[in-house]
Amino acid sequence: TALLSPTCDDTAVEEAADLALRQINADRKEGYILSLYRIFSVREHPQEITGSVFYLILDVVDTECHVLSKKLWKNCAARFAHTTVYGQCKAIIYINQARNIAHLNTYQCILRPVPPRYIWTVCPDCPVDDCPTEPKYLEAAVQSLAKFNAESEQTHYFSVLNVTRASMQWVIGPAYFVEFLIQETSCSKNDTIADISKCKPLSSELAQTGFCKGSVVNSDLEHEQFVTISCEIYSLQ
């Protein structure tokens, strides 16, 4: 049978794009949940017996949800335009509605951040994404996680797994903004631990993981540090 060219706003096409993106996000092991910006193109290959294979090209943007959250892309908040990573996913998905089958055969996503020159024209004062592996951002993550460890009702201390996104800005002094993954350690919060980085992580079957957004703002005027942290702990998969 010949390839068809349905319209991008066709209900079956929109459903195919949604199902493809759900499976792409479920398969990805790092980064952020991708959200559908628009369906760029589609071809449909009806199968002889029943169902169709859809060849999709999807324009996507990243969201504020980490892939480990396992959330649906429609439930994730979009980022501000100047902080968005955008790109395109090519996907081939077989859908048989009668038998309730949606099988993602293959996909490939190419992502790229917004160019800094665009950010500077739209928002000259906005922090620009920086290399998250730099030591100053790990230090900011450790400092903000210390606040979480001190205030949370978790039974064990958490340690920083890796920094996933980072930026800095001059406010009343250097301000560091970080997003990072955390993992539960074997150290109990009943004990006073001098250096949490020395705590061994719990085994993967028992350890909870989480995703945090933190900031460390240094005030040159007041010689003070202002730390914020918010974390989402994921239930064991």
Side-chain angles (χ1 to χ4, degrees):
T1 53
L3 280 172
L4 308 177
S5 298
T7 59
C8 290
D9 59 358
D10 182 275
T11 306
V13 172
E14 289 180 341
E15 187 173 307
D18 173 43
L19 291 168
L21 200 50
R22 287 188 194 199
Q23 292 191 33
I24 288 169
N25 283 321
D27 185 62
R28 293 171 69 235
K29 301 294 184 286
E30 55 186 46
Y32 295 83
I33 296 281
L34 300 174
S35 174
L36 183 63
Y37 180 69
R38 66 173 175 175
I39 299 168
F40 182 78
S41 74
V42 59
R43 302 297 294 277
E44 181 183 357
H45 188 195
Q47 303 302 288
E48 286 181 8
I49 301 169
T50 181
S52 283
V53 174
F54 291 90
Y55 299 85
L56 299 160
I57 300 178
L58 310 175
D59 286 342
V60 295
V61 292
D62 74 344
T63 66
E64 294 194 353
C65 301
H66 197 274
V67 292
L68 295 184
S69 69
K70 302 295 183 189
K71 290 182 180 178
L72 296 178
W73 65 267
K74 289 182 178 179
N75 297 337
C76 291
R79 290 185 182 272
F80 293 117
H82 67 271
T83 64
T84 300
V85 170
Y86 64 99
Q88 214 169 52
C89 293
K90 295 179 180 179
I92 302 172
I93 186 168
Y94 169 71
I95 293 178
N96 184 328
Q97 285 187 320
R99 294 170 61 193
N100 201 23
I101 295 171
H103 177 69
L104 184 70
N105 294 334
T106 182
Y107 74 92
Q108 180 188 31
C109 296
I110 296 172
L111 306 173
R112 55 193 177 277
V114 170
R117 63 180 182 277
Y118 169 79
I119 299 170
W120 293 324
T121 54
V122 174
C123 182
D125 297 328
C126 288
V128 177
D129 278 359
D130 200 357
C131 178
T133 55
E134 285 196 26
K136 60 187 177 186
Y137 296 120
L138 176 60
E139 188 182 333
V142 169
Q143 282 179 278
S144 51
L145 182 59
K147 182 178 171 75
F148 173 80
N149 277 326
E151 296 173 356
S152 82
E153 294 179 359
Q154 300 291 327
T155 53
H156 292 94
Y157 287 103
F158 280 74
S159 63
V160 176
L161 190 57
N162 65 338
V163 180
T164 56
R165 203 153 185 167
S167 59
M168 78 164 289
Q169 185 180 27
W170 205 267
V171 188
I172 45 177
Y176 302 96
F177 305 95
V178 284
E179 297 180 11
F180 55 98
L181 292 172
I182 59 173
Q183 61 183 349
E184 190 176 7
T185 72
S186 54
C187 294
S188 168
K189 286 185 70 177
N190 293 330
D191 304 321
T192 305
I193 308 295
D195 185 358
I196 289 164
S197 67
K198 300 283 193 291
C199 295
K200 290 184 178 176
L202 280 177
S203 65
S204 55
E205 307 88 60
L206 299 172
Q208 295 187 105
T209 56
F211 176 66
C212 301
K213 295 179 182 180
S215 69
V216 177
V217 180
N218 298 284
S219 169
D220 289 352
L221 288 171
E222 300 164 51
H223 303 291
E224 265 192 87
Q225 226 174 30
F226 302 95
V227 179
T228 68
I229 184 72
S230 65
C231 295
E232 185 178 4
I233 304 299
Y234 303 137
S235 54
L236 292 169
Q237 298 299 322

